[in-house]
């Protein structure tokens, strides 16, 4: 589950630009999910339109981004069969440290994939 090469040209600049604006909020959200023992695997679904995955954390209109940022976690992805239960171990193995990397689930017209982006250094 590496970052898709398809991502580089079309989305990377756009996503990382928006990510830089909201990374502190996402990092705090991931921390809250972990500290409250909800999950060790926070996931942030993002889309340019409204998504029915997780709960909206930051709307693009309110933060001036191209993407809406939702907040969720692995259990919801298993329940919705967005992560196959048979591939759960592979997902956990590929998942990067949530204190250092943000797990985004990018949903756009022709692209749906997990990506991991490092949080900026403080």
């Amino acid at each position: 589950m590496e970052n898709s090469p398809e991502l580089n040209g079309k989305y990377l600049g756009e996503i990382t630009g928006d990510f830089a604006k909201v990374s502190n909020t996402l990092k705090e959200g991931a921390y809250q999910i972990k500290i409250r023992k909800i999950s060790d695997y926070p996931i942030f679904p993002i889309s340019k339109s409204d998504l029915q995955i997780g709960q909206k954390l930051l709307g693009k209109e309110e933060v001036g981004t191209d993407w809406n940022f939702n907040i969720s976690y692995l259990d919801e992805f298993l329940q919705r069969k967005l992560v196959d239960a048979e591939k759960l171990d592979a997902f956990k193995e590929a998942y990067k440290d949530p204190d250092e990397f943000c797990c985004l689930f990018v949903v756009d017209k022709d692209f749906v994939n997990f990506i991991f982006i490092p949080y900026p250094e403080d």
Side-chain angles (χ1 to χ4, degrees):
M1 195 169 68
E2 294 297 313
N3 288 342
S4 169
E6 203 179 319
L7 178 70
N8 292 335
K10 188 169 182 185
Y11 297 102
L12 197 54
E14 191 177 301
I15 291 171
T16 55
D18 281 2
F19 178 75
K21 294 178 186 176
V22 300
S23 62
N24 287 339
T25 302
L26 300 183
K27 190 171 188 176
E28 178 63 23
Y31 173 77
Q32 291 299 325
I33 285 175
K34 286 181 54 195
I35 194 116
R36 293 176 185 188
K37 306 231 183 277
I38 295 169
S39 178
D40 289 332
Y41 302 93
I43 300 170
F44 296 92
I46 70 169
S47 179
K48 292 184 179 182
S49 58
D50 287 336
L51 269 184
Q52 302 303 312
I53 304 168
Q55 295 182 333
K56 187 174 279 188
L57 182 62
L58 298 166
K60 62 184 181 180
E61 293 83 13
E62 66 188 89
V63 291
T65 59
D66 291 326
W67 299 85
N68 292 305
F69 291 82
N70 290 8
I71 187 167
S72 186
Y73 47 92
L74 180 56
D75 288 348
E76 179 181 2
F77 277 69
L78 286 168
Q79 290 169 11
R80 291 177 174 262
K81 298 188 183 343
L82 296 168
V83 170
D84 188 336
E86 293 178 11
K87 296 183 180 176
L88 179 59
D89 289 339
F91 179 89
K92 288 181 175 182
E93 188 176 309
Y95 191 91
K96 296 181 184 283
D97 180 351
D99 293 330
E100 295 182 30
F101 289 86
C102 183
C103 177
L104 299 177
F105 181 67
V106 181
V107 178
D108 201 28
K109 297 172 193 129
D110 298 322
F111 183 85
V112 177
N113 209 346
F114 290 95
I115 64 166
F116 295 91
I117 297 182
Y119 288 110
E121 298 287 326
D122 290 333

